[in-house]
């Protein structure tokens, strides 16, 4: 094999990169790392942009960091401005390549992208690498995954299933082929950055990319914040109430296995506690939503989900009030303003606003999931779909959905009104 393409997807890192190492071990003499930019103009069926400015800004920083690291290995990152299904076959012809290596993503659109490349004649090798646990090491085949999270967790803990050790980053990569000119129409610019003084950040001082993500992980553990995580995890404001690992996990800048390895090392020094256990617990939830995709695939994207309820109606006016923070419910509107202004929202408030859309406004859960996809800097296709299905009672919740009493949530989590004042409407 002369030249191979390595297609970065939701794995913008060099550490713990089995797919990249597979490309290096393939015998290819030349390697071209590629990232295909999303179409910032693409609209959803609900009438708004598929990917909003905060997600683009976070992606921009992550790509910048990845590009710097690849430059140090003398193997530059090629950013292209066309969809993978059209750009990669054309690149392969220009470069004389016939092989593509990438991570496996078990969601319908991402599966269709790979199918299109294979239909174009490319040999595509996909490697599953986004989960903490190896799906092949589970106590059952993926298609026999338990229908809810608790028996899944209990079985994993009963057999003491441990994740594989994270892999070290490569110290060298095959070079680009010599004297190759990439067509100008394929060369993309990095996403347009937001002016940072125009953004009210919910993640003050945090930036995207592998370098920043690993530094944040080290600081979090160094400050012994796992010890208080269980007590603070339902906070609404600030950085330290939760781990804030999700933005780097979502872009793949930091792997779940790297996080878990360092958390176990932390426990070996400082001792395990409720907080460190809860971090493991939530990484298991992240895995469960991934494995649900291996089990059910595109069914998770149908209006019915995994249940028997009819597809939901879509109340356009109510949905617009919800996403534009105009419901008149103070906590919900404050949360939707934070989301729109920063691209982030606490886990507690994500559940509250999702429940409000579904149960109080009669909204379509798929429209809510699409709005989160557009806005969240930590958007993850597996977790976003899984959580919205869970709240709507169309996924893995054995209780048939989660309806939150907003007044009760307000009294428990914003009794002094500080959060609502922080994100009150401008006069």
């Amino acid at each position: 094999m002369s030249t191979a393409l390595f297609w970065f997807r939701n794995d913008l890192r060099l550490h713990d990169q089995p797919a990249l190492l597979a490309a290096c071990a393939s015998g290819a003499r030349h390697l071209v790392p590629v990232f295909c930019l999303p179409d910032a103009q693409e609209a959803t069926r609900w009438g708004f942009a598929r990917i909003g400015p905060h997600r683009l800004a976070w992606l921009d920083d992550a790509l910048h960091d990845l590009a710097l690291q690849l430059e140090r290995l003398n193997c530059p990152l090629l950013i292209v401005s066309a969809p993978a299904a059209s750009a990669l076959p054309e690149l392969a012809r220009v470069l004389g390549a016939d092989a593509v290596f990438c991570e496996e993503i078990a969601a319908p659109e991402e599966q269709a992208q790979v199918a299109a490349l294979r239909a174009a004649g490319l040999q595509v090798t996909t490697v599953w690498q986004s989960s903490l646990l190896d799906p092949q090491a589970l106590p059952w085949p993926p298609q026999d995954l338990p229908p809810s999270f608790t028996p899944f967790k209990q079985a994993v803990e009963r057999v003491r299933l441990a994740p594989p050790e994270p892999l070290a980053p490569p110290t060298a990569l095959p070079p680009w082929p010599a004297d190759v000119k990439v067509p100008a129409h394929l060369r993309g610019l990095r996403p347009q950055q937001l002016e940072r003084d125009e953004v009210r950040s919910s993640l003050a001082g945090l930036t995207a990319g592998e370098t920043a993500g690993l530094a944040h992980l080290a600081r979090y553990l160094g400050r012994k914040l796992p010890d208080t995580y269980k007590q603070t995890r339902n906070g609404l404001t600030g950085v330290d109430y939760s781990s804030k690992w999700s933005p780097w996990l979502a872009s793949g800048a930091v792997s779940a296995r790297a996080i878990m390895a360092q958390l176990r090392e932390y426990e070996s020094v400082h001792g395990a506690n409720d907080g460190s256990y809860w971090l493991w617990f939530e990484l298991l939830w992240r895995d469960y939503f991934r494995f649900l995709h291996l089990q059910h695939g595109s069914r998770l994207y149908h209006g019915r989900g995994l249940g028997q309820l009819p597809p939901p109606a879509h109340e356009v006016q109510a949905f617009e009030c919800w996403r534009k923070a105009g419901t008149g419910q103070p906590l919900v509107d404050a949360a939707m303003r934070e989301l729109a202004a920063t691209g982030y929202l606490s886990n507690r408030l994500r559940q509250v606003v999702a429940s409000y859309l579904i149960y109080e406004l009669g909204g379509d859960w798929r429209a809510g999931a699409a709005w989160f996809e557009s806005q969240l800097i930590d958007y993850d296709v597996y977790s976003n779909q899984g959580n919205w299905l869970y709240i709507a009672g169309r996924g893995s919740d054995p209780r048939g959905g989660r309806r939150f009493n907003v007044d009760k949530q307000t009294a428990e989590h914003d009794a002094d009104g500080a959060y609502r004042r922080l994100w009150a409407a401008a006069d």
Side-chain angles (χ1 to χ4, degrees):
M1 185 186 304
S2 176
T3 300
L5 303 178
F6 184 79
W7 175 26
F8 280 101
R9 305 179 85 188
N10 296 332
D11 55 342
L12 305 183
R13 66 179 185 272
L14 296 185
H15 75 272
D16 200 26
Q17 255 286 12
L20 180 58
L21 295 182
C24 294
S26 67
R29 288 184 295 144
H30 303 290
L31 184 70
V32 177
V34 183
F35 183 84
C36 299
L37 289 172
D39 181 2
Q41 306 304 313
E42 182 184 1
T44 69
R45 60 182 284 198
W46 316 103
F48 49 82
R50 178 76 177 269
I51 177 169
H54 298 293
R55 276 191 65 199
L56 286 173
W58 190 263
L59 173 61
D60 178 63
D61 285 346
L63 288 175
H64 180 61
D65 181 74
L66 179 62
L68 288 176
Q69 295 196 67
L70 289 168
E71 286 283 355
R72 296 187 191 108
L73 296 176
N74 297 311
C75 191
L77 176 65
L78 175 62
I79 298 176
V80 300
S81 56
S86 59
L88 297 187
E90 183 174 356
L91 272 176
R93 288 193 296 271
V94 171
L95 300 171
D98 62 1
V100 177
F101 292 81
C102 64
E103 73 161 331
E104 174 81 7
I105 303 176
E109 290 186 5
E110 289 79 0
Q111 293 280 300
Q113 291 172 335
V114 171
L117 296 182
R118 288 175 173 151
L122 295 177
Q123 300 173 19
V124 184
T125 299
T126 62
V127 179
W128 180 268
Q129 59 184 29
S130 71
S131 60
L132 180 65
L133 301 174
D134 180 353
Q136 300 305 316
L138 293 172
W140 48 79
Q143 62 269 23
D144 295 333
L145 187 75
S148 61
F149 173 73
T150 298
F152 163 78
K153 177 186 73 71
Q154 290 171 340
V156 165
E157 293 183 332
R158 185 165 55 249
V159 300
R160 298 185 178 183
L161 186 61
E165 286 297 312
L167 301 174
T171 56
L173 294 174
W176 268 51
D179 302 324
V180 171
K181 293 184 178 180
V182 176
H185 69 277
L186 286 181
R187 284 192 174 273
L189 299 174
R190 286 168 50 203
Q192 180 68 39
Q193 285 194 324
L194 287 179
E195 293 293 332
R196 295 306 194 244
D197 60 1
E198 295 178 1
V199 179
R200 295 177 65 187
S201 178
S202 295
L203 299 174
L206 304 182
T207 56
E210 180 176 11
T211 302
L214 292 174
H216 171 70
L217 173 61
R219 284 193 301 270
Y220 185 82
L221 298 176
R223 296 172 62 202
K224 300 181 69 175
L225 290 175
D227 294 359
T228 57
Y229 175 73
K230 188 175 181 182
Q231 288 74 45
T232 64
R233 65 191 177 88
N234 282 319
L236 307 184
T237 305
V239 174
D240 292 343
Y241 68 84
S242 66
S243 71
K244 299 298 187 298
W245 295 338
S246 61
W248 291 284
L249 283 167
S251 63
V254 178
S255 81
R257 291 170 185 174
I259 288 174
M260 198 66 228
Q262 293 199 36
L263 183 61
R264 292 300 190 217
E265 185 176 344
Y266 175 90
E267 290 179 325
S268 73
V269 174
H270 302 287
N273 54 54
D274 285 348
S276 64
Y277 174 80
W278 214 257
L279 289 164
W280 150 259
F281 176 91
E282 293 189 352
L283 287 172
L284 278 185
W285 256 116
R286 179 178 179 272
D287 265 16
Y288 184 72
F289 286 144
R290 278 160 163 69
F291 300 150
L292 272 182
H293 278 69
L294 293 176
Q295 183 182 41
H296 295 292
S298 62
R299 280 189 65 200
L300 298 170
Y301 295 78
H302 297 167
R304 294 178 183 273
L306 302 181
Q308 299 302 315
L309 294 173
H314 181 54
E315 299 292 338
V316 176
Q317 185 174 358
F319 175 74
E320 289 300 303
C321 287
W322 176 81
R323 78 177 184 95
K324 294 178 179 178
T327 69
Q329 211 303 320
L331 185 65
V332 171
D333 289 347
M336 298 308 286
R337 287 189 199 99
E338 181 188 7
L339 177 60
T342 70
Y344 190 79
L345 199 59
S346 68
N347 183 64
R348 171 60 51 176
L349 286 176
R350 294 182 199 201
Q351 296 179 81
V352 170
V353 300
S355 168
Y356 194 83
L357 174 66
I358 293 167
Y359 297 108
E360 311 308 325
L361 300 179
D364 190 327
W365 67 270
R366 295 170 296 177
W371 182 241
F372 273 24
E373 176 182 357
S374 173
Q375 298 297 298
L376 288 171
I377 63 171
D378 62 352
Y379 167 72
D380 174 287
V381 62
Y382 301 110
S383 295
N384 191 60
Q385 204 72 10
N387 276 310
W388 275 92
L389 283 163
Y390 185 84
I391 296 294
R394 297 167 185 267
S396 58
D397 184 6
R399 287 189 279 178
R402 299 295 167 108
R403 185 172 187 169
F404 287 77
N405 181 311
V406 181
D407 291 337
K408 181 174 183 289
Q409 294 296 311
T410 302
E412 290 181 354
H413 300 292
D414 191 37
D416 62 359
Y419 179 82
R420 282 165 288 163
R421 288 193 298 273
L422 178 63
W423 294 105
D427 293 332

